[in-house]
Amino acid sequence: MNQRLLIVTGKGGVGKSAVAAALSIQAARRGRRVLAIGMTEADGLAFHLGLERLRYSVTEVRPGLHAMAINRPEALDEYLRFQLGVPKLTRIGPIARAFDALASAAPGIRETVTIGKVLNEARSNNWDLVVADAPPSGQIGSHLRAPRTISELVGTGKIREQVRWMHDHMADPARTGLIVVTLAEELPAVETAEMLEWLDAEELIDVAAVISNRILEPLGASVPVGTTGAVQEAAALHAGIYREQQRWLKTLPVDVQLPFLFGVTGPAEVASRLADVLEER
Amino acid sequence: MSIPILVTGAGGVGKTTVSAALGVSLARQGLETLVLTVDPAKRLASALGVQHLGGEPTANPDLPTLWAAMLDADSSWDEIAKRHASPEAAARLVNNEFFRTITRHFPASQSYAAAEKMADYLESNKWDVVIVDTPPSAGGIEFFTAPTELSDLIGGRLFRWITGGSLPGRRELYNLAARPALRVVDIALGSDLLERVTMFLFDLRTTYDGLRARAKEIEKHFRRSITLVVTTAEPAPVIEASKFFQALPDVAQPPKAVIFNRVLPVAWEKAEAPDGTPRLLARNLALWAREARRQEQVRDEFAARYRTNVAQIGWQATAPTDLDALGSLIADVPALTAKGLGL
């Protein structure tokens, strides 16, 4: 995970935003200048950074740790002006609206605006690390594939010239890595395996790590024979979840296991405790 | 008419399992019950007796009052086009290269497809209740706002403006690139693509009247629905659950109950490992006791804040894989019986 851009994805509910926040917090603690970007409309990244919500303009969360969220109208405005060179004096409103409507029908264009913003920040000299809290695994494919989709779809046009560098930047394992977060449970494990297979075939981005979240330690010992009630039940549940998790872990090439966190009271605490765990590694 | 029960909540909290469990329980109480689900785990799908996506509702061989259907958003969209556009336009739409993209791009695409299916099944009057396992959303109530948002998008100023303001159905060729705003888009995307997309939008706009009328009907179903919010005691899902409690009264009905999933028994709070228990084991047991205390606190705070029924489902090490296991998940929960739900 030494790349300057880490794109974090995973099935909904696995703790993708928590892991993205934890990676950002841990890097910032080590003195790196970090930008965390929320790529979707959900506020998960904001909560895990201890904020109510994020804006398009970058805010400093704590020394070294910065955050923003991609808001489509603003990202589009910036894209049209700086990437496509719409002149300053032009009223951008109607153009942006027309572009957005057309982009909602033509594949790859909206995604290019979003992923383009992330890639642009990553290649600027402003940050040592950019962590993107990306769309869930069901939608990440169209984002990662956006540059290729456009070069297939658009014969001429300025946007076609744009996507070349995006594709190269994303496909370069020295610069960009994908982090796939999962749980050791049936649905997330199956979805993760399918996604890894797809990623392997498409060769769009290097998978920097598969992170399995909420993993229990072994129970330690079995409870003494004859124990009943709560102690016996708790031990049985622990052992049962542990067994189920080990079974699904075997189906995935997991690089990092993050622990199940007992007793957490808020999302910011989740992210900061996961950052502690990453720190110890 | 059939009563809709809408099961909402954050991703990963067990909405699908709860919907299935509720289906089994109501079917066993003698109600003809349909569970409309999105993406169940294989083992759960086979427990419900459904094998493939997009099929018609099928009755469970072991429990004939329990029906289930799995939603396939793509094929639902083909049906939506056929229903709301003229036959010629519908044929062009479903074969159009952009149709899939726009239906998948529309943020609440799967939600809209599910809502239309729900309305169809409700209106067919074949079931007493239709339980909808609402599709995952980007946070919030998009299942409920999707119908209006979609018809607003298609009928809105934007598409009208791009397609030149002509009446729906009138395919009038004109020089697109002559319009200043489109000229920039033309430079960006190339004229060929611009023209293809615009022609497509002409056809899409013809669905507007149908979609708008349907959206109004779907909204009426929402307003007479029973809503439930599923969560775990984990911090992020609880925040999502709060959002549902704040927003649902405006678009549907106030939730009948919050259902906490993966609940640890209150008795565990006092569980103490016997003397001589190995250190790691003792530590693990203490963690579960602490977690049980924290969970109870979260539930109590939630109940006090929203003055709601709290239903609890115990934490299972392995997902239930047969009807009995599903049914027993909520058998002891009074708020979720037919009577508790006011059916």
Side-chain angles (χ1 to χ4, degrees):
Chain A
M1 291 190 264
N2 295 318
Q3 296 90 339
R4 204 146 126 202
L5 171 59
L6 295 175
I7 298 176
V8 185
T9 188
K11 187 174 166 61
V14 301
K16 174 176 74 63
S17 303
V19 171
L23 287 166
S24 313
I25 292 167
Q26 188 255 350
R29 281 184 194 162
R30 288 198 175 177
R32 299 175 78 191
R33 211 177 140 73
V34 181
L35 175 65
I37 305 182
M39 284 176 67
T40 65
E41 282 169 30
D43 294 318
L45 181 65
F47 297 153
H48 286 97
L49 292 172
L51 304 170
E52 282 277 303
R53 67 168 30 100
L54 293 167
R55 302 186 185 289
Y56 191 67
S57 56
V58 173
T59 48
E60 186 167 25
V61 183
R62 62 178 80 170
L65 177 56
H66 303 74
M68 63 167 287
I70 295 181
N71 148 310
R72 210 174 59 235
E74 284 177 271
L76 186 59
D77 193 297
E78 187 181 312
Y79 182 82
L80 290 172
R81 286 211 192 278
F82 296 101
Q83 304 291 321
L84 297 184
V86 173
K88 273 215 174 66
L89 290 173
T90 321
R91 266 183 61 230
I92 201 114
I95 297 172
R97 284 200 298 274
F99 190 90
D100 198 37
L102 295 165
S104 66
I109 294 176
R110 275 192 177 178
E111 290 89 343
T112 299
V113 172
T114 307
I115 199 94
K117 173 66 182 168
V118 171
L119 289 162
N120 238 337
E121 290 296 336
R123 73 170 177 170
S124 79
N125 283 323
N126 296 337
W127 318 108
D128 300 321
L129 173 68
V130 172
V131 178
D133 181 18
S137 40
Q139 295 152 35
I140 188 71
S142 62
H143 282 79
L144 299 175
R145 210 184 179 285
R148 192 179 290 171
T149 304
I150 284 185
S151 53
E152 287 165 6
L153 176 81
V154 184
T156 57
K158 214 164 176 174
I159 197 168
R160 191 188 158 90
E161 301 156 26
Q162 283 297 318
V163 294
R164 183 82 240 161
W165 75 263
M166 290 188 192
H167 176 273
D168 293 347
H169 196 112
M170 203 155 54
D172 179 0
R175 288 187 289 184
T176 307
L178 185 73
I179 306 273
V180 182
V181 185
T182 186
L183 297 180
E185 288 173 16
E186 179 182 1
L187 270 185
V190 169
E191 194 168 308
T192 301
E194 283 168 6
M195 179 165 58
L196 291 173
E197 203 175 305
W198 181 84
L199 287 164
D200 199 42
E202 292 274 324
E203 297 181 349
L204 295 165
I205 190 167
D206 181 57
V207 177
V210 176
I211 297 182
S212 196
N213 197 12
R214 294 190 208 134
I215 299 295
L216 283 181
E217 284 183 44
L219 183 57
S222 44
V223 289
V225 181
T227 311
T228 54
V231 166
Q232 188 274 332
E233 286 169 20
L237 180 73
H238 188 115
I241 299 172
Y242 179 79
R243 225 180 3 256
E244 183 78 358
Q245 289 189 339
Q246 293 303 310
R247 170 183 165 199
W248 291 107
L249 277 175
K250 280 195 200 107
T251 66
L252 292 172
V254 173
D255 302 290
V256 179
Q257 295 186 17
L258 292 175
F260 179 86
L261 298 176
F262 287 93
V264 275
T265 52
E269 190 192 341
V270 171
S272 118
R273 276 174 62 182
L274 291 179
D276 295 344
V277 175
L278 290 169
E279 185 78 50
E280 285 161 17
R281 281 172 48 87
Chain B
M1 205 188 295
S2 317
I3 295 171
I5 300 181
L6 310 178
V7 182
T8 66
V13 297
K15 260 192 314 246
T16 306
T17 307
V18 170
S19 304
L22 186 61
V24 174
S25 158
L26 295 180
R28 283 187 169 166
Q29 291 168 64
L31 295 169
E32 288 287 336
T33 304
L34 170 65
V35 179
L36 180 59
T37 180
V38 183
D39 184 21
K42 278 206 187 75
R43 292 183 291 178
L44 182 60
S46 63
L48 282 173
V50 285
Q51 265 83 42
H52 53 87
L53 284 172
E56 285 300 297
T58 41
N60 193 291
D62 301 319
L63 181 57
T65 45
L66 177 66
W67 298 66
M70 261 195 281
L71 180 81
D72 172 28
D74 282 349
S75 70
S76 305
W77 275 99
D78 289 355
E79 278 175 44
I80 291 166
K82 284 174 191 151
R83 175 180 304 173
H84 298 306
S86 68
E88 305 80 49
R92 281 196 299 269
L93 279 174
V94 298
N95 294 313
N96 187 283
E97 57 191 318
F98 303 121
F99 186 61
R100 282 280 170 266
T101 317
I102 201 163
T103 54
R104 284 184 187 151
H105 256 170
F106 171 56
S109 166
Q110 211 182 25
S111 289
Y112 182 76
E116 263 231 26
K117 276 278 168 206
M118 171 200 79
D120 288 353
Y121 295 140
L122 287 170
E123 288 156 12
S124 76
N125 265 324
K126 277 192 201 153
W127 297 277
D128 298 317
V129 285
V130 174
I131 300 171
V132 185
D133 165 26
T134 62
S137 75
I141 53 160
E142 81 177 21
F143 176 70
F144 298 88
T145 53
T148 309
E149 274 173 20
L150 180 71
S151 64
D152 285 356
L153 172 74
I154 288 173
R157 287 217 314 260
L158 192 63
F159 279 16
R160 213 158 57 223
W161 181 78
I162 291 171
T163 51
S166 59
L167 291 167
R170 206 171 120 210
R171 293 162 68 88
E172 190 179 90
L173 279 170
Y174 58 94
N175 188 357
L176 294 165
R179 299 165 62 197
L182 288 182
R183 204 176 306 142
V184 179
V185 182
D186 184 50
I187 294 167
L189 302 180
S191 332
D192 169 52
L193 181 67
L194 178 60
E195 199 154 301
R196 272 148 59 208
V197 174
T198 310
M199 285 300 128
F200 162 71
L201 293 181
F202 267 116
D203 280 334
L204 194 64
R205 275 191 59 206
T206 67
T207 62
Y208 173 60
D209 289 339
L211 280 176
R212 192 186 50 179
R214 192 66 178 142
K216 292 221 164 103
E217 288 160 14
I218 294 171
E219 262 172 29
K220 279 188 203 147
H221 292 305
F222 287 157
R223 298 211 179 270
R224 63 186 190 85
S225 63
I226 292 172
T227 64
L228 296 168
V229 178
V230 185
T231 187
T232 64
E234 304 265 323
V238 170
I239 293 174
E240 287 291 306
S242 303
K243 285 194 203 160
F244 281 105
F245 266 83
Q246 286 155 19
L248 283 178
D250 293 334
V251 290
Q253 286 288 323
K256 263 259 168 26
V258 62
I259 304 171
F260 275 88
N261 194 11
R262 288 181 214 139
V263 169
L264 303 172
V266 176
W268 289 18
E269 293 176 17
K270 295 193 188 75
E272 259 180 59
D275 287 343
T277 304
R279 215 174 56 87
L280 181 57
L281 175 59
R283 197 180 71 115
N284 277 324
L285 292 169
L287 287 172
W288 286 108
R290 178 176 160 203
E291 186 66 8
R293 276 195 295 279
R294 187 191 70 86
Q295 283 197 349
E296 190 187 14
Q297 220 171 352
V298 171
R299 288 194 302 273
D300 288 350
E301 273 168 25
F302 201 98
R305 179 172 309 160
Y306 296 104
R307 294 184 191 162
T308 181
N309 279 321
V310 175
Q312 302 180 29
I313 297 180
W315 197 330
Q316 318 283 319
T318 48
T321 53
D322 58 56
L323 289 183
D324 285 339
L326 275 172
S328 66
L329 274 186
I330 60 167
D332 306 331
V333 183
L336 300 181
T337 58
K339 191 161 166 254
L341 291 169
L343 291 168

